[in-house]
Amino acid sequence: MEPLYTAEALSTGDGRSGHVRSSDDTISVNLAPPQEMGGSGQGSNPEQLFAAGYAACFHSALQMVAKADHKKLGDSAVGARVSIGKEGEGFGLSVVLEVVVPDLPVEESRELAEKAHQVCPYSRATRGNIDVELEVTDQ
């Protein structure tokens, strides 16, 4: 791979109870474990950041494959639900991608979502490592 762009971020403090910031300071976030994991919930967490990145990246991939197929997505949206849980002796992640394309029949949208899942860098990076489920609707 020939990099087109490299993002940099630095975590300081106590990891999940610390702070992260990007090298250009466009992201600067205090972190705190969610209440469900015994934390205060008074900050963001790595799963939220991963969900935001995956949703945006997948939405771009969806738009790219739709354009290649000469389809218009209209007011489409992609949401990502990232779950963390115990897996063996450690922890694991799972993702549900919620794809909403109100201007196309659900089956056409599902086909586009499957194509996007093949080319999205986040999908490619997670394939075979974590469960990723696609939920496609028109509302």
Side-chain angles (χ1 to χ4, degrees):
M1 178 187 84
E2 184 178 327
L4 299 174
Y5 168 75
T6 300
E8 293 182 44
L10 178 66
S11 170
T12 56
D14 232 1
R16 287 183 167 272
S17 297
H19 188 86
V20 293
R21 73 172 182 79
S22 60
S23 59
D24 64 1
D25 287 323
T26 58
I27 297 172
S28 183
V29 180
N30 289 322
L31 300 175
Q35 291 179 336
E36 296 85 347
M37 293 178 67
S40 69
Q42 297 298 308
S44 189
N45 59 65
E47 291 71 38
Q48 289 173 329
L49 298 171
F50 184 65
Y54 203 161
C57 188
F58 195 88
H59 201 189
S60 288
L62 183 68
Q63 291 170 345
M64 182 185 77
V65 298
K67 184 176 180 180
D69 282 3
H70 306 289
K71 307 274 183 183
K72 296 198 182 286
L73 296 180
D75 288 331
S76 62
V78 174
R81 292 193 316 259
V82 174
S83 298
I84 185 170
K86 292 193 177 198
E87 184 175 72
E89 294 185 26
F91 290 87
L93 298 174
S94 66
V95 177
V96 176
L97 294 172
E98 302 166 315
V99 179
V100 180
V101 184
D103 295 347
L104 290 177
V106 171
E107 282 310 310
E108 284 184 44
S109 299
R110 190 177 323 282
E111 287 175 19
L112 292 172
E114 290 291 343
K115 287 180 181 181
H117 196 39
Q118 296 307 307
V119 299
C120 171
Y122 276 64
S123 292
R124 293 179 56 172
T126 60
R127 189 168 290 117
N129 297 310
I130 67 174
D131 290 332
V132 178
E133 179 184 339
L134 298 177
E135 290 183 356
V136 181
T137 68
D138 58 0
Q139 45 182 302

